[in-house]
Amino acid sequence: MNQRQRQEWIAEKVKIKGSITSAEIAEEFGISKMTVGRDFKELQARGVVQLFHGGAMYKDSNILEYPISVKSDLFVNEKKRIGQRAAEEISDGSSVFLETGTTVLHVALELTQKIGCNYYTNSLLVMNHLSKVENLSLHSVPGKYRELSGGFLGMETQNYMNHLSFDYCVIGAEAVDSNGRVSLHSEEDAFTKQAVMARSKKKILVFDRSKIDHDYLYGIGSIYDFDIVITDYLEIFDFLANDHESEGNILVV
């Protein structure tokens, strides 16, 4: 198989799976990761893929932000591991705000065995899943629905939270740059997340490796503003310009 054929194979595999890693391709073809990297760059130049550290994901050049239904199918195993680790950090009997995002959904799915917790969420995905669980205290949060986020956002949401205080909040990210800046596409989404964080005693940030090395317009702060950060990106400390490993707030799964 020549280079062009290999790149077409990669493009088709990414389109079907949603994402693929350099290691998978290197093993499949018996080639170096450096060679895979050149294939990725060629496919990126053609607008076929979007690169992340260690792999590539399918890219539709007409879409700036993918809908929640597409995001749900990407990095499922990684999000499950992140969800399991995040659930370990949350104590029984706590009040927990679960924000929008597919990684946050995986945290929610792991929390159903907790005892005596009160769950608040503005995520339609989380509501749909947790509402099916018996003997679980679930509170829906009002707001203006945004389909791309799969949740309720804006001033109504922020005003509702002004009267509450949460033990934990679980927040997802769309981008994390090398300085640790956490950012999003949507202004309403960013402001809502900031309002949740301001009303929470302990803040947990969750994201998979595809969010690394991107930077969008609306920031919600730094990863160092969170008490706990959980990611599957093994090289996170090498990636960050300011290595805060000693602070112990970043957990890699």
Side-chain angles (χ1 to χ4, degrees):
M1 183 179 287
N2 61 35
Q3 182 186 40
R4 185 70 180 186
Q5 290 172 324
R6 186 175 65 243
Q7 289 176 0
E8 293 305 318
W9 183 94
I10 295 169
E12 185 64 23
K13 186 68 70 172
V14 169
K15 189 172 182 179
I16 293 170
K17 291 182 61 181
S19 65
I20 197 165
T21 66
S22 302
E24 288 178 80
I25 299 171
E27 182 178 355
E28 176 73 24
F29 292 101
I31 58 178
S32 70
K33 290 184 180 179
M34 186 176 295
T35 300
V36 177
R38 288 195 290 268
D39 287 341
F40 278 166
K41 287 180 181 177
E42 173 66 25
L43 290 170
Q44 183 183 44
R46 288 161 48 190
V48 176
V49 301
Q50 175 179 321
L51 302 187
F52 59 85
H53 279 257
M57 59 190 293
Y58 180 66
K59 179 180 180 181
D60 186 330
S61 60
N62 296 316
I63 298 176
L64 293 176
E65 181 182 0
Y66 288 94
I68 205 78
S69 58
V70 173
K71 295 175 185 176
S72 297
D73 293 332
L74 299 174
F75 303 98
V76 174
N77 292 331
E78 292 83 353
K79 291 172 183 176
K80 183 176 177 61
R81 293 201 308 272
I82 292 168
Q84 291 170 337
R85 186 63 184 85
E88 294 174 8
E89 297 295 325
I90 294 174
S91 305
D92 290 339
S94 302
S95 57
V96 185
F97 196 103
L98 297 160
E99 243 277 341
T100 59
T102 55
T103 309
V104 176
L105 171 62
H106 280 270
V107 179
L109 296 177
E110 299 295 332
L111 290 173
T112 56
Q113 301 304 313
K114 295 289 181 180
I115 299 171
C117 286
N118 285 294
Y119 299 108
Y120 292 78
T121 187
N122 63 329
S123 166
L124 187 58
L125 280 176
V126 173
M127 288 180 206
N128 285 338
H129 282 81
L130 294 191
S131 63
K132 299 170 186 173
V133 181
E134 295 183 1
N135 302 318
L136 185 146
S137 177
L138 176 63
H139 307 262
S140 63
V141 175
K144 177 179 141 185
Y145 184 67
R146 181 176 188 263
E147 186 174 1
L148 285 172
S149 301
F152 300 91
L153 311 169
M155 289 300 300
E156 187 178 358
T157 312
Q158 296 171 45
N159 290 337
Y160 177 88
M161 289 184 294
N162 285 337
H163 307 289
L164 297 169
S165 178
F166 309 105
D167 294 315
Y168 301 89
C169 70
V170 183
I171 304 288
E174 291 176 5
V176 177
D177 74 7
S178 61
N179 291 311
R181 181 179 185 263
V182 182
S183 59
L184 306 148
H185 288 283
S186 164
E187 181 179 26
E188 283 188 318
D189 204 349
F191 286 164
T192 303
K193 283 177 168 56
Q194 287 176 323
V196 173
M197 292 163 62
R199 303 303 303 166
S200 302
K201 297 169 187 171
K202 198 164 191 177
K203 299 176 283 293
I204 301 174
L205 177 69
V206 293
F207 61 90
D208 65 67
R209 64 180 181 271
S210 70
K211 311 306 190 299
I212 287 289
D213 207 16
H214 297 291
D215 188 27
Y216 301 131
L217 183 58
Y218 301 104
I220 63 171
S222 163
I223 62 172
Y224 308 116
D225 295 328
F226 289 83
D227 300 284
I228 301 171
V229 177
I230 305 175
T231 180
D232 70 315
Y233 183 52
L234 299 177
E235 296 82 13
I236 184 69
F237 297 113
D238 295 330
F239 167 75
L240 293 171
N242 298 306
D243 188 349
H244 288 237
E245 183 174 5
S246 61
E247 292 185 7
N249 70 322
I250 302 176
L251 307 175
V252 183
V253 297

